Amino acid sequence: MRIGYLEKQIGMENHKIIEVLNDLIEINNDRAEGFEKAIRDINAENIDLKAAFEKFASQSRSNITELAGLVGSKGEVPEDGNTVLGTLHRAWIDIKATFGGSDLHSILEECERGEDAIKKAYKDALQENELGEDVREVLLKQQGGIQASHDAVKALRDLSK
């Protein structure tokens, strides 16, 4: 009887870990697509900015690969979609661009808004107690990279005023 209870507890903990990891996969998908959209929206003369955005999109794709590996190691299938909010955010950027909000400062503001969202997602994920040390270590490393990217986007936004 006791073994069944423990198996159920472990299953619940594993389910929560998978849920957290899949949520982070989705928001990293949002982030990569958001930066790819920003690359398309900025002018050709902003080659340095495009390179930075490509680096940030690549960072999210690497995060996704690592997170998907963790999900797979737990015997589950990783998500491959986006969040509803991320899709709505990109639609908002499209509307804003249509009505003249596609200047560099506006694009950087939207990028920073996206970076704020992913920072919050990692902060929330790391508050889960059942993650396990292996998962927590990966998330902390990814969170550090995202924080550095956020700071870079914020600095670029401040310079664009």
Side-chain angles (χ1 to χ4, degrees):
M1 186 68 102
R2 184 80 178 137
I3 292 174
Y5 172 77
L6 289 175
E7 287 174 349
K8 193 172 186 178
Q9 263 321 100
I10 291 169
M12 290 298 284
E13 288 173 9
N14 205 34
H15 174 75
K16 184 62 178 172
I17 293 168
I18 299 305
E19 184 180 304
V20 167
L21 294 172
N22 277 329
D23 287 348
L24 292 175
I25 288 170
E26 288 177 336
I27 198 162
N28 271 285
N29 277 330
D30 290 340
R31 182 177 185 247
E33 287 184 23
F35 278 118
E36 288 163 357
K37 174 160 185 16
I39 290 166
R40 291 188 302 272
D41 289 349
I42 57 178
N43 298 327
E45 67 265 11
N46 292 311
I47 193 84
D48 292 345
L49 193 55
K50 285 186 177 199
F53 286 177
E54 286 170 358
K55 177 183 165 193
F56 301 150
S58 177
Q59 178 188 50
S60 272
R61 285 190 290 276
S62 292
N63 289 349
I64 291 164
T65 299
E66 197 168 20
L67 295 167
L70 288 171
V71 172
S73 75
K74 300 203 179 293
E76 297 290 331
V77 177
E79 289 290 332
D80 61 1
N82 300 82
T83 66
V84 173
L85 289 177
T87 303
L88 291 173
H89 179 72
R90 282 187 301 283
W92 171 245
I93 293 171
D94 285 341
I95 291 167
K96 196 171 181 181
T98 301
F99 293 104
S102 63
D103 65 282
L104 184 59
H105 185 75
S106 294
I107 291 169
L108 288 165
E109 280 181 333
E110 293 306 318
C111 288
E112 185 183 5
R113 186 170 292 129
E115 291 296 271
D116 288 340
I118 197 166
K119 274 179 42 183
K120 182 181 180 329
Y122 272 84
K123 180 182 176 200
D124 292 348
L126 284 162
Q127 290 177 352
E128 292 295 333
N129 294 326
E130 301 91 14
L131 291 179
E133 205 51 44
D134 58 333
V135 172
R136 187 170 300 284
E137 186 178 313
V138 169
L139 298 188
L140 285 168
K141 178 185 63 99
Q142 290 184 0
Q143 183 186 44
I146 287 168
Q147 181 64 52
S149 298
H150 170 273
D151 294 348
V153 169
K154 186 177 186 307
L156 290 167
R157 189 219 52 207
D158 291 346
L159 287 172
S160 72
K161 287 182 182 178

